[in-house]
Every structure is written in C-alpha cells, then in structure tokens.
Amino acid sequence: MAIIGNIIKGFIEARDTLSKERNPIEEQKKVLQELLEKAKETQFGQHYQFGAILNSENVAKAYAETVPYFDYNKISGEWWTRTLKGEPNVTWPGSPDFFALSSGTTGKKSKRIPVTEDMIASIKKAGIKQVYALSNFDMPADFFEKEIMMLGSSTDLRERQGHKEGEISGISASNIPFWFKKYYKPGEEIAKIDDWDERVLTIAKEAKNWDIGALSGIPSWMELMLKKVIEYHNLEHIHEIWPNLQVYTSGGVAFDPYEKSFNALLGRPIQIIDTYLASEGFMAFQSGPDTNAMKLITDNGIYFEFVPFKSEYINEDGSLVEDAPALTLDQVQRDEDYVLIISTVSGTWRYLIGDTIAFTDVENAEIKITGRTKFFLNTVGSQLSVNKLNDAVKHLEEELDIKIPEYTLCAKRFDDGFYHSWYLGSDRSVDSTKTAEILDSFLKQANKNYKVARSKALEGVKVAFVPQEVFAEWSGANKKKGGQVKMERVMGEEKFEEWEAFVAQEMEN
C-alpha cells in the first residue's frame, strides 16, 4: 500500500477543496497595484511616474498610457544594461541574483533576462499551484511516490559579475526545495553536465535504476532523450524500463505537432499536462484532464495585457507599433488571437514576450498558445499563424500516415515567384509533390487570406523531407541544443539561406 502516496494525495485533495473561488480580474488589478507600489522608487518607476499612476482613478488605463511597449532590445538597451553592470534599483528593487539566458528562436546571441528573488518565489508558488491541481486528474496514490524526470538545461550556472547565469529550467532546477530532491531525476550531478549529448547518454545508462512516474520538459528534446533510452537498452517502448510512467508535463511550445511521434515511444497512453514556463516567468498551467487549455496564474506577480493579433499592429520584425491597443483581462474575447504583454516581479514592464495566445474560457482566464509574433507568415498576404501551420502538419500526418514532429518554412522567392517552401522533419518521406498538394489544399480551406494570396502573389507550396535529427543538429550548431530551445517555425529569407546550406551539408555527411 502506498502509505506516503496516500498521505500526499489526501493533503492535495483537502487543500484543493479548501481553495477559495478565483476572481482573475480582481486578482490582476491587485497584482498591478503591488508591482507599481514596490517599484515606484526604482529608476524606472521614477522615470515613468509610478506614484502618479497609483493615484489615478483608473490605474490600468494610466499605466498603459504612460509606459510604452518594450521588446527585449529596447528594455535591455535602455535599462537592463545598467543592471548587468551592477547598478541596483534599476527596474526592480535591489539587484537580481540570476539572469536567464533565453535561447530563443532567432539570432545566435543569448538574451539576458533578470530573475529576482521575487521571481524565484513566484515560480515556486506556481509549481505548488500546479501540484495542487493534480487533485483534478485523479492520479492513483502510488503516483505520488514515484520519481520525476525534469529534462532542462544544465544546472551548472555560470558566475558573472556578481550574479549567476543559465537557462530558466536550469535556474529553477538549481532552486528546487530540499524535500523535492529525493523525487528529482536525473539528480544534481547529471543535471550539471553541460554537454547535451553526454547528459542524455548518462541518463540512458542510469535509466534502469530509476522508477520514473512523470516527465517534464520541452517535447522535441524529451523525444530525443526517450529515443536514446530506448535505443541504449534495446527496448520496444519506454514503458519497458519505466512501467510506472503516467504523466508528461509539456511546455514551451504547442504539443500538437509532437503528439503522434511522442505517443509512438510509449507502451500505453499517459496524461499530458501543458504548462507555460518561459524565461520571464511561470504564467499558466493546465488544471484538469478535460481540456488542453491552460489557466493563467493571475495572482502571482505577473500582470497581463493583450494586443489584438492583427497585421496592422505588428511590425515586420515581430515588434508592436507604438499605438497598438492593449486590452485588460475584462476586455478580451474568446477565440481571438492576442499578443501577450507582461509586467513582472523581475522588473519586466509592458514586455512583448513574443507569444500569441487565445482564450478558450474568458471567465476562468484559460488560454492556449497559438504561436509567435515572429512566426507570423504574412510576406505575401497569407496571414498564417503557427496554430494554422500546426493544424496543416497534423492533417498531413493523418492523410499520409507519417510522423512529422518538426518543420520550418519560409515565403521564398523563386524564379517564377513566391512559394511557401517547407522542410518537414520526419524519419519517413513520401512524394513531395503529393505532400505539397495536400498542404496547399488544406490551407486554402482553413484560411481565407491564404486562399486569396494563392490567387495573387503566392504561386504555391514546395516541400522537402529531412530526418528529424537534422533539426536537433541545427539547434546544436547554433549553440542551442537542449533546454528551452524552440525551433523556428517560420524563417526570414536570410536565415532560411543559412538553414538550406546547413541541410545540404548534413545530407552530404
């Protein structure tokens, strides 16, 4: 009998029963008030007159009218460079102990995003909220006695000018509570291995010694780790070595493109739980099994605003035009795409995180991630967001009975005009012409703007198949293998040239 598991499960269920009803709109008003109050004496708070904003009749409206939008380059260039040089009280009181190196999806230079003590506390609090939500999934008692494989970036953080640097998954794992360490795998020693391939090989060697009940990490890298374990031990599927595996907590990107290839590695279905943990904070998690939407965490040091995701509000580089309207939680509508704007306890103000979301339930603040602002394909008026591209790839998987966990594309000019040039990552290829026809037909039916573009400047679709491993090697070549890495779903022409040259070289080797 799982005595400890029953105790833990009972505590979680009792705690969830006692939880009060949420009011996300009121929680967000309180969070904004607290953020402004705490930061009003910082350099940023004085510059933008937080004190005056707090005294206004409508704090949210005054805040939006006074403080401009910031993307990383703007807030880093104007403010965070001072923090990196050691100046205190720049955008948040004191000095941050950590900086998250955001691997991102564009460019080879890492972003450095401050992670304050308040943000560490916020991430821990969000993690506890997610654990409490497990009461909704009706997990068996013995699940709470199993180990959890957290596959992130290295926890061997680098010392730099009085602070430590690493990816957010590494920072989070290096700050796990003492009581959790007995459940945490691969353990502190293996987690510190910086080289991704060496770390995964070490995990494969040790896998037989662990009783894993849950997995946590980005789907693409989790798949590759599971494949390595299966290959190393000559298994049919992962449940042969981890028979008690019941849960996978996904995050960072939409799980849909990976669903078919991921499930092929399992001996039986497991519960998939989506989370939204970024370098800038832990923002949402799936709170029940009857939905794939995630609940925004509206009472935990992050204030959210939402800009309608329309082409007239988005610059070509993915940034926002200055006068793009921002909505608060009480103004949004269901099933509309929004650019997510956040302000946080790390001194991040009206910050364009780069993700687009849509609400599935406004009253309960439940969302799904629909894409990235920089992955918005509108070069020739096709107006395709990543969720539409994901839907098209899923349709291909069903029509052709293949697995396509990775892809990228570009609106590329050929001699006879613009085409959407797709690279599909799959270990089995089919006829490229047939695939292109299926893609083109699906997108015409699914998106009216694409259909219009096809009658004008867009000539059609071109498709090439490459092994899935090529996508991982591309990330490795850009010093982004493992961790929080997200593959570029849409590339500009210059980056796409680099990608095609890389693919050609890989296919020759």
Side-chain angles (χ1 to χ4, degrees):
M1 182 178 179
I3 297 175
I4 295 176
N6 273 301
I7 292 171
I8 295 172
K9 183 179 181 181
F11 172 78
I12 289 172
E13 289 176 344
R15 175 64 173 75
D16 189 63
T17 302
L18 293 171
S19 296
K20 62 181 181 180
E21 282 292 313
R22 300 171 65 239
N23 186 330
I25 292 171
E26 291 303 316
E27 288 172 349
Q28 279 287 274
K29 289 179 181 178
K30 184 179 178 183
V31 166
L32 178 58
Q33 192 92 13
E34 291 172 346
L35 289 172
L36 296 172
E37 188 68 44
K38 187 154 187 178
K40 67 182 180 182
E41 300 302 329
T42 63
Q43 295 179 42
F44 191 96
Q46 290 181 339
H47 181 81
Y48 287 106
Q49 301 179 330
F50 280 8
I53 293 173
L54 285 163
N55 289 326
S56 62
E57 286 188 18
N58 187 326
V59 174
K61 184 171 182 289
Y63 177 61
E65 290 174 349
T66 306
V67 181
Y69 296 122
F70 285 90
D71 59 14
Y72 175 78
N73 290 332
K74 181 175 171 63
I75 199 168
S76 179
E78 295 179 13
W79 297 96
W80 288 347
T81 50
R82 304 181 203 175
T83 306
L84 279 163
K85 291 176 182 176
E87 281 188 46
N89 306 314
V90 179
T91 62
W92 195 251
S95 297
D97 293 327
F98 302 93
F99 277 83
L101 300 178
S102 175
S103 298
T105 47
T106 53
K108 295 184 179 181
K109 189 175 180 181
S110 289
K111 300 174 182 177
R112 286 182 165 83
I113 297 165
V115 181
T116 62
E117 288 184 13
D118 291 310
M119 180 54 74
I120 295 290
S122 171
I123 292 172
K124 287 181 179 178
K125 183 179 175 183
I128 291 170
K129 284 176 178 284
Q130 185 178 19
V131 170
Y132 289 151
L134 286 174
S135 63
N136 300 323
F137 290 88
D138 194 29
M139 304 304 299
D142 63 355
F143 168 76
F144 297 96
E145 296 184 348
K146 305 306 178 187
E147 295 163 324
I148 300 175
M149 169 65 71
M150 296 172 62
L151 188 68
S153 55
S154 171
T155 58
D156 189 16
L157 308 178
R158 294 187 287 278
E159 296 274 357
R160 177 187 168 103
Q161 298 176 341
H163 62 262
K164 293 182 178 181
E165 294 184 346
E167 289 189 14
I168 193 64
S169 56
I171 293 172
S172 299
S174 67
N175 283 277
I176 59 174
F178 72 93
W179 55 266
F180 183 69
K181 292 184 179 180
K182 67 173 288 187
Y183 301 100
Y184 166 58
K185 295 299 175 205
E188 294 181 71
E189 186 175 336
I190 297 175
K192 286 183 177 179
I193 298 174
D194 190 51
D195 182 85
W196 161 260
D197 295 309
E198 181 185 347
R199 190 169 359 128
V200 169
L201 179 58
T202 309
I203 288 171
K205 291 176 180 178
E206 295 293 325
K208 63 183 182 298
N209 300 319
W210 301 330
D211 187 6
I212 301 297
L215 304 170
S216 177
I218 285 181
S220 54
W221 303 109
M222 186 62 69
E223 268 196 35
L224 292 176
M225 184 275 288
L226 294 177
K227 284 181 177 179
K228 177 60 71 174
V229 174
I230 290 168
E231 174 194 339
Y232 187 86
H233 294 278
N234 194 27
L235 310 173
E236 289 293 320
H237 53 75
I238 199 64
H239 276 110
E240 289 185 7
I241 197 167
W242 293 334
N244 295 308
L245 176 62
Q246 300 179 67
V247 169
Y248 169 43
T249 302
S250 177
V253 295
F255 180 69
D256 283 357
Y258 302 94
E259 184 177 10
K260 188 168 185 177
S261 56
F262 186 88
N263 288 341
L265 304 175
L266 307 176
R268 62 178 183 275
I270 64 175
Q271 178 66 56
I272 308 299
I273 303 177
D274 276 327
T275 62
Y276 189 3
L277 171 61
S279 299
E280 294 83 359
F282 196 154
M283 285 170 279
F285 60 84
Q286 181 183 338
S287 61
D290 54 350
T291 176
N292 60 1
M294 296 178 289
K295 189 170 290 188
L296 281 178
I297 309 173
T298 50
D299 63 346
N300 193 32
I302 302 178
Y303 175 69
F304 301 100
E305 296 173 270
F306 313 92
V307 175
F309 187 44
K310 297 181 178 179
S311 56
E312 60 263 36
Y313 301 145
I314 314 293
N315 293 315
E316 194 171 319
D317 63 357
S319 63
L320 293 174
V321 301
E322 286 185 16
D323 59 350
L327 307 181
T328 50
L329 194 54
D330 58 329
Q331 297 172 315
V332 297
Q333 295 182 5
R334 180 174 173 164
D335 296 331
E336 296 288 333
D337 280 0
Y338 296 100
V339 178
L340 188 62
I341 307 296
I342 61 170
S343 302
T344 79
V345 290
S346 271
T348 303
W349 300 105
R350 304 204 79 215
Y351 184 82
L352 174 65
I353 194 172
D355 291 326
T356 61
I357 60 99
F359 284 86
T360 60
D361 184 332
V362 173
E363 184 179 355
N364 291 307
E366 293 186 352
I367 65 162
K368 60 182 178 181
I369 300 172
T370 56
R372 299 279 293 169
T373 55
K374 290 186 178 180
F375 295 171
F376 183 50
L377 191 62
N378 193 36
T379 307
V380 288
S382 50
Q383 295 193 26
L384 290 172
S385 57
V386 170
N387 60 327
K388 291 286 190 280
L389 302 177
N390 288 344
D391 289 345
V393 171
K394 198 164 187 178
H395 178 72
L396 275 182
E397 289 184 321
E398 293 169 358
E399 287 290 306
L400 301 174
D401 192 27
I402 60 174
K403 297 184 286 288
I404 310 173
E406 296 287 8
Y407 70 87
T408 192
L409 71 150
C410 173
K412 180 180 174 183
R413 188 189 298 275
F414 290 81
D415 290 341
D416 57 340
F418 272 108
Y419 286 80
H420 283 178
S421 182
W422 290 68
Y423 278 79
L424 302 175
S426 179
D427 295 332
R428 183 168 74 88
S429 62
V430 296
D431 181 78
S432 295
T433 302
K434 178 184 177 183
T435 305
E437 289 173 355
I438 295 172
L439 260 180
D440 190 41
S441 176
F442 177 84
L443 289 170
K444 282 178 183 175
Q445 294 176 24
N447 188 292
K448 63 181 180 182
N449 292 308
Y450 177 86
K451 187 174 182 179
V452 171
R454 280 289 285 112
S455 67
K456 296 181 179 178
L458 185 62
E459 297 296 332
V461 172
K462 293 181 183 288
V463 167
F465 282 91
V466 294
Q468 182 185 351
E469 185 68 23
V470 172
F471 286 82
E473 293 304 321
W474 165 259
S475 294
N478 285 274
K479 299 182 180 179
K480 298 176 183 176
K481 209 169 186 181
Q484 298 295 111
V485 181
K486 308 177 188 77
M487 179 65 198
E488 303 101 315
R489 293 308 190 198
V490 176
M491 295 184 183
E493 287 198 71
E494 185 177 336
K495 189 69 173 286
F496 201 66
E497 283 183 20
E498 295 178 26
W499 160 257
E500 293 198 300
F502 179 84
V503 170
Q505 184 177 356
E506 286 291 305
M507 300 304 283
E508 286 178 7
N509 295 338

